[in-house]
Amino acid sequence: MTPKLCIAQNPEADALLEESPLALLIGMLLDQQIPMEVAFNGPKKLHDRLGKLDVREIAEYDPEAFATIATTPPAIHRYGGSMAKRVQALCQYLVEHYDGDVAQIWTKDKPTAEVVLKRLKDLPGYGEQKAKIFLALLGKQLGVTPYGWRKAAGDYGTKGSKRSVADVVDAGSLAEVRAFKKAMKAAAKA
């Protein structure tokens, strides 16, 4: 059974996230300093402008031309130019290390969650927190549950939590995640 993602809050963009591991990885890469649903709509914008979302095509694309595609209104991100560079770096890394097969990050050699987490952290534009959130997203919504995934994902892997994109399944849960993030920011300032 195919999962029904509702991260972008846009049926066409969410369908692309479901069918394309690359789209999901790019959406997570874009998820910073903008609302998460805007970030996860970014891959659909690229798909529509390129005609498809192909890791090799993006990796090899002329950087200036790709930046134009990424920044054409509506841009893929508030900082479309710098994010275009990050998306290309991500795709180049995926071609070099996984022969362009994104799913190998979590399938190659039947890895444990710690290995998947390390592979995610090694991706350009992915740090510890983004990697843990993506691991939780894989486990909670896509059924990718390597041994120890909840522990490796930290608090993001907690069942029933509402703290990240991994927990967004509809508009209501998006609002709950936003409220949690707002409360965390307020607590950090206090």
Side-chain angles (χ1 to χ4, degrees), residues 32-144:
Q32 58 188 47
Q33 301 177 327
I34 59 173
M36 75 176 70
E37 67 274 19
V38 174
F40 283 91
N41 269 284
K44 178 74 169 112
K45 293 173 188 172
L46 291 173
H47 175 274
D48 291 350
R49 293 168 191 174
L50 295 168
K52 62 184 175 185
L53 207 56
D54 180 88
V55 67
R56 291 181 192 286
E57 179 182 3
I58 294 171
E60 296 168 4
Y61 220 90
D62 173 75
E64 277 188 40
F66 189 72
T68 299
I69 288 169
T71 57
T72 298
I76 64 167
H77 193 278
R78 175 177 22 191
Y79 304 110
S82 64
M83 285 303 180
K85 290 177 187 172
R86 287 185 179 198
V87 169
Q88 280 198 286
L90 174 65
C91 289
Q92 290 161 354
Y93 184 91
L94 292 168
V95 168
E96 182 181 335
H97 292 87
Y98 297 101
D99 196 31
D101 183 357
V102 176
Q104 281 192 25
I105 295 168
W106 51 88
T107 61
K108 185 179 180 183
D109 301 325
K110 298 182 181 175
T112 64
E114 287 297 330
V115 170
V116 175
L117 184 63
K118 182 188 180 323
R119 290 175 181 173
L120 289 166
K121 289 191 307 192
D122 288 345
L123 296 174
Y126 274 66
E128 178 90 18
Q129 183 173 331
K130 195 174 288 273
K132 285 182 175 184
I133 292 169
F134 196 86
L135 180 60
L137 176 61
L138 289 172
K140 288 180 173 183
Q141 295 202 43
L142 298 175
V144 176

